[in-house]
Amino acid sequence: MANKEKVCLAYSGGLDTSCILAWLLEEGYEVICFMADVGQEEDFEAAKEKALKIGASKVYVEDIRKEFVEELCYPAIQCNAIYENVYLLGTSLARPVIARAQIAVAQREGCVAVSHGCTGKGNDQVRFELAFYALQPDIKVIAPWRMPVFYERFAGRADLLEYAEKVGIPVTQTKSKPWSMDENLAHCSYEAGILEDPDMEAPKDMWKLTVDPRDAPDAPEDFTIKFEKGLPVKLEYENGKSVSEPLDLFLVANAIARRNGVGRIDIVENRFIGLKSRGCYETPGLTILRSAHVDLEGLVLDREVRALRDQFVTYNYSKILYNGLYFSPEREFLEDSIRASQKSVNGTVRCRVYKGNFQVLGRSSETEKLYDMSESSMDEIGAFAPQDTTGFISVQAIRLKKYGNSKLEKGERL
């Protein structure tokens, strides 16, 4: 008997991917299951046992938290990455390292295809598959939720539950949450279900990572973040404790923000494929690290460099992450630009969090001297001669005078 073709399935242990696993076996494939540990609160051992019981020949659980923080979250902090001025890209940031780890497992096992449980309307199908094709151009992708033979058979949750019972898939009986969730070290997202009504307030018991700001401690919590070349290198907290290693630093930032209710947003965003969607996100540690970085740049970064970076690098890098184009030449180019822009972003930011809010108490830099207190002071002249501003204003006014005269001649009001 000929050996079956192998497929590497991105497996979560939930109903959808468990049914996809059984369906792939039914279709005649040998299935290798892959799970990525990107910091989600997950019982990986239970999920592994479930996959093996259903019929997976092997299950890989890969811990990629360190590379997730160092290769994706930290560059995002360096360039203040943000999508549509609100979303800090928590889901998008995790997809490249997950896809890369899945392809590595598929190659190790000699798989002819990879598979996933992404829906046909979302962004993740694009993010994963573009990554797969960049990493292994000849790989075959099996996307069941875009295949009529699958989605016409399984129209909804009821069909999946019926199939699970029929083929012996263990389904844990828990209270169903009327929304979909995706969690990693950087954030947790909530969408679909009752959240599809954009005017429906997110229930208080939905939020998983952060305490309700109204229930957060009544006393503020202070901490200090040190940056070198735009990257957080030290976090000091709780009167004397400190942490420097990127993963540990990120975990501490998460803990501080979570217990103080920092990092919640609720938005309607534009998906890459053209649909609008409502999403709720918790992004605790990344929120305070990015906010501190933004503040420090005001002290140490040249204004024209900052403007160019904001207009070109931050906008396009964020869009590339969101659209799933991480493994692309433009991403490499932009990351070189990010590093070039951050040479002077060295210093310390003193921070406070309190009931959902982040505040900067002060900032300083021992090496970067763009800010001159005597020049900016209202109480001394310093090296800046006030009369020089007269010529500056006169030059700036030349074209505005011409514009104003043209309006007056036409009888138009400015």
Side-chain angles (χ1 to χ4, degrees), residues 1 15 19 33 36 48 91 99 109 111 136 142 164-165 174 216-217 220 231 283 296 307 330 347 376:
M1 183 177 179
L15 178 63
C19 288
C33 283
K48 181 177 180 179
T91 297
E109 288 292 332
C111 296
Q136 186 176 332
I142 300 174
E165 182 179 2
T174 59
L231 294 174
T283 318
L296 180 61
E330 58 268 34
S376 302

Side-chain angles (χ1 to χ4, degrees), residues 4 19 21 39 49 122 134 162 177 203 228 256 265 270 273 278 281 333 350 359-360 374:
K4 295 181 179 179
C19 288
L21 167 56
E49 291 178 7
E162 182 180 343
K177 296 290 186 182
E228 290 181 3
I256 292 170
I265 63 168
N270 290 290
I273 62 171
R278 189 270 188 96
Y281 302 99
F333 165 73
R350 295 188 297 111
Q359 177 185 356
V360 170
S374 66

Side-chain angles (χ1 to χ4, degrees), residues 56-291:
S57 57
K58 290 183 182 178
V59 179
Y60 286 82
V61 179
E62 302 288 311
D63 184 350
I64 53 176
R65 294 175 300 159
K66 185 174 185 293
E67 61 194 270
F68 174 42
V69 170
E70 294 180 358
E71 297 181 31
L72 274 299
C73 295
Y74 268 32
I77 294 168
Q78 271 188 310
C79 79
N80 305 326
I82 193 165
Y83 183 72
E84 296 189 336
N85 300 312
V86 185
Y87 174 41
L88 298 189
L89 300 158
T91 297
S92 316
L93 289 167
R95 295 328 189 202
V97 288
I98 294 173
R100 185 169 61 194
Q102 185 176 354
I103 285 291
V105 168
Q107 292 172 340
R108 197 180 315 159
E109 288 292 332
C111 296
V112 300
V114 290
S115 185
H116 60 74
C118 302
T119 70
K121 291 185 177 182
N123 291 312
D124 277 341
Q125 57 181 335
V126 181
R127 294 169 183 152
F128 279 123
E129 292 182 36
L130 291 181
F132 293 151
Y133 291 131
L135 293 162
Q136 186 176 332
D138 63 348
I139 195 68
K140 177 182 177 182
V141 177
I142 300 174
W145 285 115
R146 295 205 310 269
M147 301 169 65
V149 67
F150 185 87
Y151 67 70
E152 288 177 359
R153 179 178 176 185
F154 304 108
R157 184 175 177 81
D159 292 335
L160 292 175
L161 287 169
E162 182 180 343
Y163 179 69
E165 182 179 2
K166 177 182 177 182
V167 299
I169 297 173
V171 177
T172 304
Q173 297 301 318
T174 59
K175 182 181 178 182
S176 176
K177 296 290 186 182
W179 50 75
S180 174
M181 297 168 57
D182 177 74
E183 182 187 359
N184 60 47
L185 195 66
H187 91 156
C188 189
S189 67
Y190 310 85
E191 61 183 8
I194 62 171
L195 300 176
E196 289 177 352
D197 177 356
D199 200 31
M200 168 73 72
E201 181 179 358
K204 182 175 181 178
D205 66 350
M206 178 193 78
W207 305 98
K208 177 181 180 182
L209 300 184
T210 58
V211 303
D212 190 309
R214 294 168 295 184
D215 300 329
D218 292 328
E221 182 171 355
D222 296 349
F223 55 96
T224 300
I225 305 171
K226 181 179 180 181
F227 291 87
E228 290 181 3
K229 296 182 179 179
L231 294 174
V233 295
K234 189 176 184 180
L235 194 159
E236 297 175 338
Y237 64 109
E238 292 182 2
N239 298 319
K241 295 181 181 179
S242 68
V243 62
S244 296
E245 196 278 325
L247 178 56
D248 293 337
L249 189 154
F250 204 91
L251 288 168
V252 170
N254 264 344
I256 292 170
R258 288 178 68 166
R259 60 178 171 253
N260 288 281
V262 174
R264 294 184 178 186
I265 63 168
D266 182 339
I267 63 172
V268 175
E269 68 196 69
N270 290 290
R271 287 179 176 168
F272 187 25
I273 62 171
L275 301 173
K276 285 186 180 290
S277 67
R278 189 270 188 96
C280 298
Y281 302 99
E282 292 177 288
T283 318
L286 191 58
T287 294
I288 62 176
L289 292 171
R290 179 186 180 275
S291 298

